[in-house]
Every structure is written in structure tokens, then in C-alpha cells.
Amino acid sequence: ARDGEEALAVFQRHRDDISLVLCDVRMPGMDGPAVIAALRRDDPALRFCFISGGTGDYTPEHLLGLGALQLFEKPFTIHLLGHQLLELATAGQASAA
């Protein structure tokens, strides 16, 4: 999504297919914590991570205190990000036998 409002709309359309949300901390319009707060009003069990090249007024501790599973700070490799997101998204799900 390009901004927070679009993120909310995308989530509503695809919520049954989403197991984990990756949200930038700083975005146009609504910032990441505001987006997550809005999503969690609809889905209190929402699992999410933040991503940021700079957290602005938020400390990493504050962001994690909001319930984020992880804060990915740039720079990182897409391979590492993908691997960690897959692990987080599937954590706690029963594996197929």
C-alpha cells in the first residue's frame, strides 16, 4: 500500500488471507503505529512487524511495546527479511504431516 489509508482498505479486502502485517513506521498521512492501531480495533489478535529507515519520534522499545513481533531496521537484505517474515507468519501453525 502507498499510505495508511490504502493499507486499511487492502487489509479489509484480504484479511482472511493475511497472517502477518509488515508496516512502515513513517508513511504519508497515517503513520505505522496509527495504521496498526486501526487494524487492531478490527482484529485485536493481529500479528505485525514494523520496518523503518528511521523511527522518527518512536523508539524501538515503544514500537515493540505496541505488540510488534519485530522491528526491521534498514538496511537489510530482502533474503533475510523474507526468511524472517516466513518464520514469523508460520509460527504456531501446525505443520502438515
Side-chain angles (χ1 to χ4, degrees), residues 2-75:
R2 292 174 292 211
D3 59 31
E5 292 294 329
E6 185 176 342
L8 297 176
V10 168
F11 183 81
Q12 290 306 318
R13 283 194 310 271
H14 301 283
R15 70 182 304 147
D16 293 338
D17 300 319
I18 296 173
S19 59
L20 180 72
V21 170
L22 179 61
C23 188
D24 204 336
V25 173
R26 296 170 58 186
M27 299 184 293
M30 297 174 75
D31 67 5
V35 170
I36 294 300
L39 293 176
R40 290 187 106 187
R41 281 192 288 277
D42 288 337
D43 183 359
L46 178 73
R47 301 174 73 235
F48 67 96
C49 297
F50 284 117
I51 187 171
S52 188
T55 57
D57 294 336
Y58 299 104
T59 64
E61 294 79 18
H62 177 83
L63 295 168
L64 293 170
L66 295 174
L69 299 173
Q70 192 158 342
L71 169 61
F72 296 99
E73 295 187 71
K74 299 173 188 175

Side-chain angles (χ1 to χ4, degrees), residues 65-84:
L66 295 174
L69 299 173
Q70 192 158 342
L71 169 61
F72 296 99
E73 295 187 71
K74 299 173 188 175
F76 51 78
T77 65
I78 195 69
H79 176 75
L80 177 64
L81 178 67
H83 178 74
Q84 290 181 322

